[in-house]
Each structure stands twice: as structure tokens, then as C-alpha cells.
Amino acid sequence: VKGLVHHMLNLVLTESAIELVPSDLWKHPAVMKRSRLIGKNPGQMLLDRSYHHGAMLQIKDGRKRGRPDIAHFCLLNALGAPLNLEGGLRTSVHTREDKLIMVSPETRLPRNYDRYIGLIEQLYSHGKVPAKGKTLLEIRSETLSEHIRDIDASRIVALSRAGAKSTIQEVVEMVAAEPNPLFLIGGFPAGGFSSQTTGLADDIFSIYHETLDASIVVARVIYEYEKTMGLSSSCLTSHVR
Amino acid sequence: VKGLVHHMLNLVLTESAIELVPSDLWKHPAVMKRSRLIGKNPGQMLLDRSYHHGAMLQIKDGRKRGRPDIAHFCLLNALGAPLNLEGGLRTSVHTREDKLIMVSPETRLPRNYDRYIGLIEQLYSHGKVPAKGKTLLEIRSETLSEHIRDIDASRIVALSRAGAKSTIQEVVEMVAAEPNPLFLIGGFPAGGFSSQTTGLADDIFSIYHETLDASIVVARVIYEYEKTMGLSSSCLTSHVR
């Protein structure tokens, strides 16, 4: 029994800055140093600006890449939210290389960053984690467009500074009647969505006059959705669960 | 010019699980191993369950200690929030040993966990960071009671599962007329506030029937305060700043 939640909110962290170190950086000193330190081959390591900044200066679109911490903060804000605990949220991570990470709502993600990175690296190696038992994270090659078809979203809203000005409350109230709304939130540190992404959205809204951290946007969309659906008051009574 | 914000919201992460490794653990194998790995003396390292789990099994109140990641996530959700960006939020961290960390609203905290830990360790060594220029973080010995006096809070609300059931919206609306309200949010992983802390609060409220991550509570209190104060709509017009 999952309480009073009838509808499902879908969140896709979009074009997220998660990828393995690309092969042309494997010989870079910054990458080799980190590789020796943690005892992993460069090709099994996630690209990470904290550790590979020197190596990333030379790559294309560098400022939008190598930030797996963004998805970490977003996922912690999503998975720990009452909406998720009550079974009303589906979260996934789309990467700029069109990998798709399915995240089970029951996942208890490591809080420690190095352990989180280790888990995602294990996911890239094995396709799913944990190796045994119920799968919590699964990765596959899938475009955002294919993923949206899988979700069968009834309305797709992208949040971006380039969108029409609105408030989160107005945006969420607009989709409240939808059985299966989907929010696209950018999982990258700078710049905007690609035109491919914005082309998939029914609406694009800007909820603040400056760039906000993706994790803060995630927290607000979920909370506002809970309020609009009446979850924040209903779940206080113990008979709900 | 700081827009339309007249009031100030105060957040104190309370009894936070941040401390240096206590001296009776300096010789523990788990601590010495980590010490060698990162090249720091045990006494200059933060106690961290991710790295010192084995050593922490034997200490008093172990399950409430050694979780500096909690303050990290809370501070990122606070410092990145529009209320903070517009100058309407003051955030500080009280620890279980009665250390008080003042956090400048302009602080851009490292996203990377190891860098954040390094920064807090530097803070414990030097009393403030950065060493030169405008101080962003400062630490001193101060009880919660003394800190509350410094803040001169007009009303003190503690959020705890042991409190009276309410919603965040109701709690925030209750303090909306206060010039200088203060929220106490636990910066520890398990259990409740000490009686010393609850004795300082004017009100204690429970906003969910299970324990929520402190960082999620922080995000919600701030967002609800912004809404109650009309910040979420007013700041969309460019003339505000």
C-alpha cells in the first residue's frame, strides 16, 4: 500500500555530465596520477573535473563535462524526498553520451562521494548494480527521445534559463492533472540544453533569473508536486501507510 | 541593493556530527591507514564514518558522530538557494562539541567532498578560511545558547520527529511575521536533539512521520520561506536586483 499517491512524477536529469575518461586522455599526467592513486585503469574511471582538470582543458565542451557530483546531489535530494519514499517518483539519469541510468526508488545511494563514484564506475563496468539480488541501478544506451517513449510521459516540461518566466508553483500546478508528467532538469554545470533536448519538450520554463544548482531545482519541483498533490498533509496521519 | 527582502531567516545546523578524530582513536589501524594515505596527522583529520567505521565502533554515541557529509549537503542546499543569493539567509553550523562555524552567505563551498573535508580541516587548524582576504568560514568555541543570543532570534523553532505534527508551510507561516526567526535542524544522522537543545526552542515541530535527511529539510524550509515572503515571484522581475 503506497498511501494516497495516484499519479507519478518523472524526473530525468538530462545531458548529465557523467562519462568514463575518454581514451585520448588516458595518457594525460593528471589522469595517470589519479589512476595510480586509486588503482583503476583510466578507461574504468569517471571523468571528474576535481581530479582531471588539467586534462579537461583540451577537450571539446569541457565546461559541460566531468561533473558526476551534480547527479549525486540531485539523486540524494530526490531519493530522500517523501514523494519518493511514498512511491510517487521515478528518477533517471540521461548522460550527454546517451547513456541512460535507471534508478530504483529504493536505492540508498552512498553519501560518501568516493563510494558513489565507485558505484557508478562499477555500473559502467557491469551494466547493473548490485551484482547479485534486486537491481538498484541499471545502465543502457538510450537516447532521451527513446527514454521519453519508454516513460510514456503525458507532458514534458524542461526547466531552463532560456524558457518562459514562471514560478515552480505555477509550473507544477499546470501539470497537476497529468497522469504521468515528466520534468527534464539539466545535469550539467553550465550552458543550456541542446536543441535536440528542447525539441522534445512540450514547454520550457525558467524559474529564476540566474542559473540555479540542479539539485536545488530537483528539491523544489518534488516538494511543490507533493504540496499540489496534497501529500504533505495527508502523509502526516499514520493510517496512510 | 538586496531586492525586496526585509526579514532574515536564520538556520543553525545543530549538534552537527563534525569533529576532529579524538585522541584515543589516533592509534587505531583504520585511522592510521587513512592518515598515511592522505598525509595528515590523525589529530588534524575529521572523524568520518566512511573511513573510520572500524574505529568508531568503540566510541560513545558513535551512531551520531563522524558524518561531516550531512553539513556538506545542507550547506550546498542553503548557500545555492535564491533566498541566500538575495541576501535573506544566515547559515551556521553548531557541532556536538559546541564549536560554532559561521558561514558567510557568499561562500562557494567546494562541491567535491574531499576538498570540502580539506577545507573544514584547514578551518579547524587555522580558525578561519581562507587564510588571506575576506573570511568565508570562521570557527569558535560557542554553545548553542550563546549563539542564539548572538543571533538575537525573535523566535526559535526546532524541527524534530519528537515535535508536534505540522506541515512546513504551517510552521513557516507561523514565523512569517517574525523579524528574525531561527530554525534548528539536526546535523546528525540518527536519534534526536539533546534536552539542552530542545530546552532552547520556543516550538518543536515534526514535519514528517519518518526521519528526513537534514539537507531535504533545509531545502524545504528555505523554499517555503521564500514563498511566504513573496520572493519566488518578485525576483523574477529584473528590476529587483
Side-chain angles (χ1 to χ4, degrees):
Chain A
V1 179
K2 283 297 185 182
L4 300 175
V5 179
H6 301 298
H7 294 211
M8 184 68 77
L9 178 67
N10 298 278
L11 278 190
V12 180
L13 299 178
T14 305
E15 300 178 33
S16 301
I18 301 180
E19 64 184 299
L20 295 173
V21 174
S23 56
D24 48 331
L25 297 185
W26 290 356
K27 301 282 188 203
H28 190 282
V31 171
M32 289 176 69
K33 184 184 164 200
R34 181 83 192 156
S35 164
R36 276 193 302 271
L37 183 71
I38 65 172
K40 276 195 178 169
N41 292 330
Q44 297 176 318
M45 281 166 30
L46 289 186
L47 185 67
D48 192 325
R49 177 167 302 284
S50 294
Y51 307 122
H52 311 134
H53 179 70
M56 289 181 65
L57 295 174
Q58 63 194 67
I59 62 174
K60 184 171 171 282
D61 277 343
R63 73 193 191 108
K64 288 188 74 176
R65 296 165 67 180
R67 289 291 307 276
D69 58 299
I70 293 174
H72 189 212
F73 298 131
C74 288
L75 289 174
L76 290 175
N77 275 346
L79 296 171
L83 183 67
N84 187 64
L85 303 176
E86 308 275 338
L89 180 68
R90 267 189 305 227
T91 312
S92 54
V93 180
H94 164 262
T95 77
R96 48 178 284 117
E97 299 177 308
D98 284 335
K99 301 286 182 190
L100 206 288
I101 302 174
M102 306 297 301
V103 182
S104 162
E106 292 144 63
T107 308
R108 291 178 57 86
L109 213 61
R111 259 63 179 155
N112 178 268
Y113 183 65
D114 294 335
R115 289 189 187 199
Y116 156 78
I117 293 296
L119 189 78
I120 303 296
E121 287 169 346
Q122 194 187 335
L123 180 66
Y124 270 81
S125 287
H126 297 97
K128 60 173 188 147
V129 291
K132 286 180 185 174
K134 187 165 185 295
T135 298
L136 294 176
L137 304 179
E138 198 169 354
I139 192 168
R140 53 179 183 244
S141 290
E142 188 166 290
T143 64
L144 183 60
S145 155
E146 289 165 339
H147 185 47
I148 287 174
R149 208 178 313 138
D150 284 355
I151 290 176
D152 194 23
S154 57
R155 185 150 180 181
I156 301 155
V157 176
L159 298 179
S160 163
R161 274 196 65 195
K165 298 235 174 289
S166 187
T167 65
I168 294 192
Q169 185 176 337
E170 288 164 353
V171 173
V172 169
E173 282 171 356
M174 195 191 76
V175 305
E178 297 287 339
N180 207 23
L182 166 59
F183 280 86
L184 304 176
I185 296 172
F188 46 84
F193 287 124
S194 69
S195 57
Q196 223 172 345
T197 295
T198 52
L200 293 167
D202 296 314
D203 309 273
I204 309 175
F205 289 110
S206 165
I207 54 165
Y208 191 57
H209 59 83
E210 291 178 34
T211 298
L212 285 180
D213 292 341
S215 55
I216 285 176
V217 177
V218 165
R220 291 176 175 218
V221 167
I222 293 171
Y223 176 56
E224 198 61 78
Y225 191 80
E226 285 178 24
K227 289 184 68 171
T228 302
M229 305 310 279
L231 189 70
S232 64
S233 42
S234 69
C235 67
L236 287 167
T237 51
S238 57
H239 65 82
V240 172
R241 296 196 93 181
Chain B
V1 180
K2 282 299 188 182
L4 301 176
V5 179
H6 302 297
H7 294 211
M8 183 69 76
L9 178 67
N10 298 278
L11 278 190
V12 180
L13 299 177
T14 305
E15 299 179 34
S16 301
I18 302 181
E19 64 184 300
L20 295 175
V21 174
S23 56
D24 48 331
L25 297 185
W26 290 356
K27 301 282 188 202
H28 190 283
V31 171
M32 290 176 68
K33 183 183 163 201
R34 181 81 191 156
S35 164
R36 275 192 302 271
L37 183 71
I38 65 172
K40 277 195 179 168
N41 292 330
Q44 298 176 317
M45 281 167 29
L46 289 187
L47 185 67
D48 193 325
R49 178 167 302 285
S50 294
Y51 307 121
H52 311 134
H53 180 70
M56 289 182 64
L57 295 174
Q58 63 194 68
I59 63 175
K60 184 169 170 285
D61 276 343
R63 71 193 192 109
K64 287 187 76 175
R65 296 165 67 180
R67 289 291 306 277
D69 58 299
I70 293 174
H72 190 211
F73 298 131
C74 288
L75 288 174
L76 290 175
N77 275 347
L79 295 171
L83 183 67
N84 187 63
L85 303 177
E86 308 275 339
L89 180 67
R90 267 189 306 227
T91 312
S92 55
V93 181
H94 164 261
T95 77
R96 49 178 284 117
E97 299 177 308
D98 284 335
K99 300 287 182 189
L100 207 286
I101 302 174
M102 305 297 302
V103 182
S104 161
E106 292 144 62
T107 308
R108 291 179 55 85
L109 214 61
R111 259 61 179 157
N112 178 269
Y113 183 65
D114 294 336
R115 290 188 187 200
Y116 156 79
I117 292 296
L119 190 77
I120 302 296
E121 288 169 345
Q122 195 188 335
L123 181 65
Y124 269 83
S125 287
H126 297 96
K128 60 175 188 147
V129 289
K132 287 178 185 176
K134 188 166 184 294
T135 298
L136 295 176
L137 304 179
E138 198 170 353
I139 192 168
R140 54 179 182 242
S141 289
E142 188 167 291
T143 64
L144 184 60
S145 156
E146 290 165 338
H147 185 47
I148 287 174
R149 208 178 313 138
D150 284 355
I151 290 175
D152 194 23
S154 57
R155 187 152 179 178
I156 301 155
V157 176
L159 298 179
S160 164
R161 274 196 66 196
K165 298 234 176 290
S166 188
T167 65
I168 295 192
Q169 184 177 338
E170 288 164 353
V171 173
V172 169
E173 282 171 356
M174 194 191 75
V175 305
E178 297 288 339
N180 207 23
L182 165 60
F183 280 87
L184 304 177
I185 295 172
F188 48 83
F193 287 124
S194 68
S195 57
Q196 222 172 347
T197 295
T198 51
L200 294 167
D202 296 314
D203 309 272
I204 308 175
F205 290 110
S206 165
I207 54 164
Y208 191 56
H209 59 84
E210 291 178 36
T211 298
L212 285 180
D213 292 341
S215 55
I216 286 176
V217 178
V218 164
R220 291 177 175 217
V221 168
I222 294 171
Y223 176 56
E224 197 62 78
Y225 191 79
E226 286 178 23
K227 290 184 70 171
T228 302
M229 305 309 279
L231 188 71
S232 64
S233 43
S234 69
C235 67
L236 286 166
T237 52
S238 57
H239 65 81
V240 172
R241 298 194 90 181

